[in-house]
Amino acid sequence: MPQEGVEGKSYKEQPEGLSERGRAFLEALARRKRARGEELPPLYLRLLEGAAPPPEGSGPPPEEAPPLEDLKRDLRPTRRELSASPPPPEWPRDPWELADRLLAEGERRGTLPGLSERERRVYRTLLALGLEVLARRLGPGRPLPRNLSQVSLFAVNDALAVALGIPPASLYRVLASLEAKGLIRRRAWRTSATLKGRTGVYAGGTLYAVRLPHREARPRLDLEDFRHPWRDLEGDARQGRTAWSLRESYTSPPKEDSGVLELLLGFSLSPGEAEDPLAIDSLTALLRARPAERRALVEALALSLAREFRDPGSVRFYAWILWNALRAELYGLMEGALEAVAWAVRRAREAAAKALFSPRGEGVRRPGALFAHLLRERGLLELFRQAPQWRVA
C-alpha cells in the first residue's frame, strides 16, 4: 500500500514540528526504556533534540511489563506434564493403533471413566478421526505435540451413525453420555448456503473437541474451529451427498477401520486447503519485520481484513490503519497501538460470528464498520489523523 513519505526531509528537522503530545510520548518512552535498562536509539535522541532522558529519581516510577522470559516460561509445559506424555516419535502414525495406545494409557492412569462397549466404540472412532485430522494438518513426518490434550474434528452425525452401524437415536444418547463424562464437547457447525432455492444459515455438521484419554482437562471448542469452512454444503447437495442418499447407499457399515475414516473424512474439507483468515499475531509481527518487508506485509494484511469483513472497497482504509499503528509504535506515539488494533479485530470477529451461533442469525452485518467504531472509541482514529506521516518502511 502506498504511504505518504517525507522525501527530502531529515529527521533533524522533525522536532521543530513535533507537537507537545508527541514530545510527551517520546519522553515517556525514554523513561520506560531507561527504567528497563535499555539504551535509547539515536533516532529518538535526534527527535528529542539530543535531550537525555530524565534521571531515574524524577517523576513516578514507570509501569513495567512482565519480562519476556517470564511470559515464555508460563507458556511452556510443566516438567510433570512432559514426563507424563508418551514420547511422540515412538507413537505409530496409524490413528487407530495410536487411539488404542492412548486408551490403554488412560486406563492405566485412571483418567478414563468407565465406558460401555458402545460408548468406547464411538469414543475410539472420534479419537482416531481427530488424530488423523491433526496428522494431516501437521504434515508428513511431523510428530504430535507433547503437551497435546485434545483434538478437534468435524463430522456429519448421519455419516457417523452409518459408519458405526448404530441407529441415530442410539448414537445421540451415546454422545450425550460421553459429553457428560467430560470426554467430548460438541456443537453444531453452521454455514450460509442456498438449498432448494432458499438462502439461509444451515447446520452442515457437528464440531467435536475430543479429550485424550490420558488427560484430565475438559475439552473445549475455540472460535477458530467454527470459522473454518469444513464442508461445501451446496456442492454436496448438487452431487446428492445427503443424509438420505447415504442411508440408501450403505446397507451395512464398512468392515475395515480405514473405510470408516474414509467415509467420515469424505464430508469435510482439509484444514490446509482453506484460505487462512487474518492471524492476530501477524499484526504485531509488523514490528519484528524488516523495513523492506513491511510494505508487502501491510498489503497482505489489509487485503485479508477487507476479505474477512466482506468490505472489498476499504482495502486502503485498512492499510492506512496498519501504517499509522506501526508508526505510533515505532515513534513512541502510543505504545501497544497494534495490540489495540488486534483487540478491535477480535471484537469485530466475535460480533460477526454470532450470526453463525444464533438460531435466528442475529449478529452484526458490517463488521468493518464496527471495527472502525471501536478504534474511534479508543481514540486511535483521532491519533492517527494528527500523527506526523514519518517513514516506517
Side-chain angles (χ1 to χ4, degrees):
M1 287 297 113
Q3 60 164 329
E4 299 181 13
V6 286
E7 299 293 340
K9 296 184 180 180
S10 63
Y11 285 111
K12 292 184 179 180
E13 300 174 356
Q14 296 296 332
E16 298 179 359
L18 192 64
S19 64
E20 296 182 0
R21 186 176 182 181
R23 178 174 296 278
F25 273 114
L26 291 178
E27 292 176 351
L29 180 64
R31 288 195 297 269
R32 284 193 295 269
K33 285 186 173 293
R34 185 177 179 85
R36 296 170 183 170
E38 302 175 2
E39 295 183 0
L40 195 65
L43 174 61
Y44 294 94
L45 292 177
R46 296 194 196 104
L47 291 173
L48 291 171
E49 297 179 344
E56 297 183 2
S58 62
E63 182 179 354
E64 297 189 25
L68 186 59
E69 292 77 14
D70 293 345
L71 293 177
K72 290 182 178 179
R73 191 179 303 116
D74 294 338
L75 296 177
R76 297 171 183 169
T78 63
R79 183 184 299 273
R80 179 181 178 183
E81 187 174 12
L82 288 177
S83 62
S85 302
E90 298 180 3
W91 287 358
R93 297 302 295 183
D94 179 59
W96 294 100
E97 187 177 349
L98 179 53
D100 291 336
R101 284 201 179 191
L102 292 177
L103 286 169
E105 183 68 18
E107 292 174 347
R108 185 183 67 83
R109 299 186 187 181
T111 56
L112 183 64
L115 300 175
S116 65
E117 182 179 352
R118 180 169 284 181
E119 289 175 347
R120 184 183 181 90
R121 187 183 176 196
V122 174
Y123 177 61
R124 176 177 178 264
T125 301
L126 292 175
L127 181 60
L129 182 60
L131 292 171
E132 178 64 20
V133 171
L134 179 60
R136 295 187 180 188
R137 180 177 297 180
L138 293 176
R142 295 280 301 276
L144 297 177
R146 291 196 172 193
N147 59 344
L148 184 68
S149 62
Q150 70 170 46
V151 288
S152 301
L153 61 112
F154 170 84
V156 177
N157 288 333
D158 290 311
L160 184 60
V162 170
L164 296 177
I166 301 175
S170 300
L171 174 64
Y172 284 112
R173 284 195 296 268
V174 170
L175 293 175
S177 177
L178 292 176
E179 190 167 13
K181 294 179 179 180
L183 291 176
I184 67 171
R185 172 75 171 168
R186 55 181 177 143
R187 195 166 184 181
W189 176 79
R190 303 178 185 275
T191 183
S192 300
T194 302
L195 301 178
K196 297 181 179 180
R198 295 184 178 181
T199 301
V201 178
Y202 296 89
T206 304
L207 281 175
Y208 288 93
V210 183
R211 194 192 91 191
L212 268 60
H214 65 291
R215 299 297 189 187
E216 296 181 352
R218 296 183 69 89
R220 61 185 181 87
L221 291 168
D222 297 326
L223 180 62
E224 291 301 321
D225 297 327
F226 293 91
R227 298 183 59 83
H228 177 72
W230 289 100
R231 184 183 180 187
D232 183 8
L233 195 57
E234 294 181 358
D236 288 346
R238 286 193 299 268
Q239 298 175 13
R241 290 159 46 87
T242 61
W244 178 262
S245 62
L246 185 66
R247 297 193 197 100
E248 292 293 325
S249 59
Y250 278 86
T251 56
S252 61
K255 297 181 180 180
E256 301 293 334
D257 288 338
S258 58
V260 174
L261 288 186
E262 182 180 356
L263 173 61
L264 297 176
L265 291 173
F267 283 90
S268 62
L269 301 176
S270 172
E273 295 176 359
E275 292 187 5
D276 188 27
L278 174 70
I280 289 296
D281 57 357
S282 59
L283 292 180
T284 53
L286 282 172
L287 289 174
R288 301 186 299 270
R290 293 181 298 179
E293 301 173 350
R294 287 173 183 158
R295 185 181 300 276
L297 187 55
V298 166
E299 289 180 358
L301 293 176
L303 187 62
S304 180
L305 271 174
R307 184 185 298 114
E308 182 177 353
F309 290 162
R310 304 183 298 276
D311 193 10
S314 300
V315 178
R316 293 177 62 87
F317 169 75
Y318 295 125
W320 179 80
I321 291 292
L322 295 173
W323 280 123
N324 282 279
L326 179 62
R327 188 174 289 114
E329 291 266 16
L330 293 178
Y331 289 95
L333 299 178
M334 178 180 179
E335 188 175 8
L338 286 170
E339 288 288 348
V341 174
W343 167 84
V345 171
R346 285 193 296 267
R347 291 291 303 275
R349 280 178 170 177
E350 293 171 0
K354 287 183 178 180
L356 297 179
F357 300 152
S358 173
R360 298 182 179 179
E362 298 175 354
V364 62
R365 295 185 178 180
R366 299 177 57 195
L370 176 61
F371 171 71
H373 173 72
L374 294 172
L375 294 180
R376 186 180 299 107
E377 280 191 337
R378 295 292 293 268
L380 268 72
L381 291 185
E382 187 65 23
L383 174 64
F384 293 165
R385 293 190 184 99
Q386 297 179 0
Q389 298 299 296
W390 292 324
R391 180 174 293 277
V392 292

PDB file of all heavy atoms in Angstrom, residues 77 88 95 107 135 143 151 171 182 290 369 380 385:
ATOM      1  N   PRO A  77       5.112 -26.169  28.765  1.00  0.00           N
ATOM      2  CA  PRO A  77       4.504 -27.227  29.590  1.00  0.00           C
ATOM      3  C   PRO A  77       5.369 -27.534  30.802  1.00  0.00           C
ATOM      4  O   PRO A  77       6.596 -27.400  30.762  1.00  0.00           O
ATOM      5  CB  PRO A  77       4.434 -28.417  28.625  1.00  0.00           C
ATOM      6  CG  PRO A  77       5.455 -28.126  27.572  1.00  0.00           C
ATOM      7  CD  PRO A  77       5.496 -26.641  27.442  1.00  0.00           C
ATOM      8  N   PRO A  88       6.339 -38.656  21.503  1.00  0.00           N
ATOM      9  CA  PRO A  88       5.650 -38.725  20.213  1.00  0.00           C
ATOM     10  C   PRO A  88       6.375 -39.556  19.160  1.00  0.00           C
ATOM     11  O   PRO A  88       5.727 -40.251  18.405  1.00  0.00           O
ATOM     12  CB  PRO A  88       5.541 -37.249  19.801  1.00  0.00           C
ATOM     13  CG  PRO A  88       5.627 -36.493  21.082  1.00  0.00           C
ATOM     14  CD  PRO A  88       6.537 -37.288  21.960  1.00  0.00           C
ATOM     15  N   PRO A  95      -3.745 -43.941  12.983  1.00  0.00           N
ATOM     16  CA  PRO A  95      -4.585 -43.302  14.012  1.00  0.00           C
ATOM     17  C   PRO A  95      -5.313 -44.315  14.893  1.00  0.00           C
ATOM     18  O   PRO A  95      -5.537 -44.046  16.074  1.00  0.00           O
ATOM     19  CB  PRO A  95      -5.556 -42.454  13.191  1.00  0.00           C
ATOM     20  CG  PRO A  95      -5.578 -43.065  11.841  1.00  0.00           C
ATOM     21  CD  PRO A  95      -4.211 -43.623  11.614  1.00  0.00           C
ATOM     22  N   GLU A 107      -6.502 -45.847  30.801  1.00  0.00           N
ATOM     23  CA  GLU A 107      -6.945 -46.844  31.774  1.00  0.00           C
ATOM     24  C   GLU A 107      -5.872 -47.111  32.819  1.00  0.00           C
ATOM     25  O   GLU A 107      -6.175 -47.325  34.000  1.00  0.00           O
ATOM     26  CB  GLU A 107      -7.320 -48.130  31.040  1.00  0.00           C
ATOM     27  CG  GLU A 107      -8.566 -48.004  30.173  1.00  0.00           C
ATOM     28  CD  GLU A 107      -8.817 -49.253  29.352  1.00  0.00           C
ATOM     29  OE1 GLU A 107      -7.889 -50.096  29.272  1.00  0.00           O
ATOM     30  OE2 GLU A 107      -9.933 -49.391  28.796  1.00  0.00           O
ATOM     31  N   ALA A 135      -2.943 -35.067  12.176  1.00  0.00           N
ATOM     32  CA  ALA A 135      -1.763 -35.517  11.435  1.00  0.00           C
ATOM     33  C   ALA A 135      -1.720 -34.900  10.042  1.00  0.00           C
ATOM     34  O   ALA A 135      -0.658 -34.506   9.552  1.00  0.00           O
ATOM     35  CB  ALA A 135      -1.758 -37.040  11.351  1.00  0.00           C
ATOM     36  N   PRO A 143       5.916 -34.890  14.325  1.00  0.00           N
ATOM     37  CA  PRO A 143       5.374 -35.603  15.494  1.00  0.00           C
ATOM     38  C   PRO A 143       4.254 -34.812  16.153  1.00  0.00           C
ATOM     39  O   PRO A 143       4.127 -33.596  15.979  1.00  0.00           O
ATOM     40  CB  PRO A 143       6.593 -35.724  16.415  1.00  0.00           C
ATOM     41  CG  PRO A 143       7.448 -34.546  16.053  1.00  0.00           C
ATOM     42  CD  PRO A 143       7.255 -34.338  14.576  1.00  0.00           C
ATOM     43  N   VAL A 151      -8.090 -33.133  20.653  1.00  0.00           N
ATOM     44  CA  VAL A 151      -8.090 -32.997  19.200  1.00  0.00           C
ATOM     45  C   VAL A 151      -9.463 -32.487  18.784  1.00  0.00           C
ATOM     46  O   VAL A 151     -10.471 -32.757  19.442  1.00  0.00           O
ATOM     47  CB  VAL A 151      -7.771 -34.336  18.498  1.00  0.00           C
ATOM     48  CG1 VAL A 151      -6.318 -34.710  18.677  1.00  0.00           C
ATOM     49  CG2 VAL A 151      -8.675 -35.454  18.998  1.00  0.00           C
ATOM     50  N   LEU A 171     -27.093 -43.293  18.787  1.00  0.00           N
ATOM     51  CA  LEU A 171     -25.844 -42.530  18.694  1.00  0.00           C
ATOM     52  C   LEU A 171     -25.932 -41.247  19.515  1.00  0.00           C
ATOM     53  O   LEU A 171     -24.988 -40.904  20.241  1.00  0.00           O
ATOM     54  CB  LEU A 171     -25.549 -42.209  17.229  1.00  0.00           C
ATOM     55  CG  LEU A 171     -24.346 -41.285  16.989  1.00  0.00           C
ATOM     56  CD1 LEU A 171     -23.050 -41.950  17.445  1.00  0.00           C
ATOM     57  CD2 LEU A 171     -24.255 -40.882  15.516  1.00  0.00           C
ATOM     58  N   GLY A 182     -17.246 -35.802  30.278  1.00  0.00           N
ATOM     59  CA  GLY A 182     -16.119 -34.895  30.040  1.00  0.00           C
ATOM     60  C   GLY A 182     -15.140 -35.371  28.998  1.00  0.00           C
ATOM     61  O   GLY A 182     -14.009 -34.885  28.951  1.00  0.00           O
ATOM     62  N   ARG A 290      11.412  -6.724   8.881  1.00  0.00           N
ATOM     63  CA  ARG A 290      12.388  -5.763   8.390  1.00  0.00           C
ATOM     64  C   ARG A 290      11.675  -4.668   7.597  1.00  0.00           C
ATOM     65  O   ARG A 290      10.644  -4.916   6.982  1.00  0.00           O
ATOM     66  CB  ARG A 290      13.423  -6.466   7.515  1.00  0.00           C
ATOM     67  CG  ARG A 290      14.323  -7.430   8.289  1.00  0.00           C
ATOM     68  CD  ARG A 290      15.336  -8.067   7.366  1.00  0.00           C
ATOM     69  NE  ARG A 290      14.699  -8.858   6.323  1.00  0.00           N
ATOM     70  CZ  ARG A 290      15.373  -9.507   5.377  1.00  0.00           C
ATOM     71  NH1 ARG A 290      16.694  -9.451   5.353  1.00  0.00           N
ATOM     72  NH2 ARG A 290      14.714 -10.204   4.469  1.00  0.00           N
ATOM     73  N   ALA A 369     -17.503  -1.751   9.799  1.00  0.00           N
ATOM     74  CA  ALA A 369     -17.979  -0.529  10.452  1.00  0.00           C
ATOM     75  C   ALA A 369     -17.819  -0.617  11.961  1.00  0.00           C
ATOM     76  O   ALA A 369     -17.464   0.367  12.621  1.00  0.00           O
ATOM     77  CB  ALA A 369     -19.446  -0.283  10.087  1.00  0.00           C
ATOM     78  N   LEU A 380      -8.019   6.029  18.677  1.00  0.00           N
ATOM     79  CA  LEU A 380      -6.941   5.737  17.744  1.00  0.00           C
ATOM     80  C   LEU A 380      -7.098   6.484  16.421  1.00  0.00           C
ATOM     81  O   LEU A 380      -6.102   6.964  15.852  1.00  0.00           O
ATOM     82  CB  LEU A 380      -6.864   4.226  17.478  1.00  0.00           C
ATOM     83  CG  LEU A 380      -5.915   3.450  18.388  1.00  0.00           C
ATOM     84  CD1 LEU A 380      -6.494   3.356  19.791  1.00  0.00           C
ATOM     85  CD2 LEU A 380      -5.647   2.059  17.842  1.00  0.00           C
ATOM     86  N   ARG A 385      -4.945  10.512  12.683  1.00  0.00           N
ATOM     87  CA  ARG A 385      -5.123  11.670  11.807  1.00  0.00           C
ATOM     88  C   ARG A 385      -4.147  12.794  12.151  1.00  0.00           C
ATOM     89  O   ARG A 385      -3.712  13.547  11.277  1.00  0.00           O
ATOM     90  CB  ARG A 385      -6.560  12.185  11.896  1.00  0.00           C
ATOM     91  CG  ARG A 385      -7.605  11.241  11.327  1.00  0.00           C
ATOM     92  CD  ARG A 385      -8.949  11.920  11.227  1.00  0.00           C
ATOM     93  NE  ARG A 385      -9.995  11.009  10.766  1.00  0.00           N
ATOM     94  CZ  ARG A 385     -10.851  10.395  11.559  1.00  0.00           C
ATOM     95  NH1 ARG A 385     -10.815  10.637  12.872  1.00  0.00           N
ATOM     96  NH2 ARG A 385     -11.754   9.574  11.076  1.00  0.00           N
TER      97      ARG A 385
END
